[in-house]
Amino acid sequence: MKLKCIIIDDEPIARKLIEEFIEDVDYLELVGQAENPTKAINLLNDNIVDLIFLDINMPVINGINFLKSSKNTASIIMTTAYAEYAVEAFALDVLDYLVKPIPFERFLKACNKAREVYETKKQVAQSPQNAGDHFFIKCDNQIEKVMYSDLLYAESLMNYVILYTSGRKMIVYITLKSLEEQLPTNQFIKVHKSFIVNREKIKSIEGNMIHIGAEKITISQNLREKVLNEILKDRMIKR
């Protein structure tokens, strides 16, 4: 199975270079390219896209604003001449951040990450989420079984996620956004841009802090009302 990808970049020379790099990676398939995000909309609507190579400084709408407004679930690899946007980009769950001029070795390393994320998504998606009690995920070159009841919370770390279970922690190649989309929503909830928690493991809530075991996890201010409503819904005994 090949990862279907598109290029969004306003520079023809940059698009051509990435196109040539893609041709040299046997598990990638280029399905289209566009000179800005607005012209990529049809590509995204008409194709299943697994990976986007995205520039930042483009006319009409830049790459960062496109990420903020897009609901597409494809993995994102930034390809830009501007290193100063890296922190903001990783906060938006990009998979990797490549600064031009891009060496092929660095490009290939980012693509290998994308393949691992793709394989992990498939493993999680194929696990029986509705009736099942576990999922499988790739960690340290092996496929690990994780019981939903053992997963306490997940923490985003750049383009990795740390899974904290009752007995260990696992570092996996997947974005928090992708993990959130594939975990059962009746059991797990995003409480902060960097944290998803198992609502059944919550011991107490104190102000903006959730207590899970010995750990304290901050509830994001902009998510607080939604999170409390979801967690306490139909379970809060009132006076």
Side-chain angles (χ1 to χ4, degrees), residues 199-200 231-237:
R199 62 180 77 194
E200 298 299 326
I231 293 173
L232 302 179
K233 181 173 58 178
D234 302 326
R235 297 191 179 190
M236 185 71 177
I237 296 178

Side-chain angles (χ1 to χ4, degrees), residues 36-81:
N36 63 60
T38 58
K39 292 188 176 181
I41 292 173
N42 287 339
L43 283 175
L44 293 169
N45 289 337
D46 295 342
N47 298 276
I48 295 173
V49 178
D50 304 304
L51 178 61
I52 301 173
F53 296 96
L54 179 65
D55 188 22
I56 289 181
N57 190 18
M58 292 178 286
V60 185
I61 179 172
N62 67 36
I64 294 293
N65 288 334
F66 168 70
L67 284 180
K68 290 177 179 177
S69 61
S70 175
K71 295 183 179 179
N72 193 278
T73 59
S75 294
I76 306 291
I77 295 176
M78 305 301 296
T79 57
T80 177

Side-chain angles (χ1 to χ4, degrees), residues 75-100:
S75 294
I76 306 291
I77 295 176
M78 305 301 296
T79 57
T80 177
Y82 300 91
E84 61 265 31
Y85 295 103
V87 172
E88 186 176 6
F90 278 118
L92 294 168
D93 287 331
V94 303
L95 183 65
D96 211 336
Y97 193 98
L98 306 183
V99 178
K100 300 172 183 176

Side-chain angles (χ1 to χ4, degrees), residues 1-3 25-28 50-51 75 77 95 108-123 138 173:
M1 177 69 74
K2 291 192 174 186
L3 275 69
V25 181
D26 59 4
Y27 55 81
L28 296 181
D50 304 304
L51 178 61
S75 294
I77 295 176
L95 183 65
L108 182 60
K109 182 178 180 181
C111 292
N112 286 339
K113 292 180 184 178
R115 180 168 62 172
E116 290 222 5
V117 167
Y118 175 79
E119 291 173 349
T120 300
K121 283 183 179 180
K122 283 181 62 180
Q123 291 157 12
K138 191 171 183 180
Y173 270 136

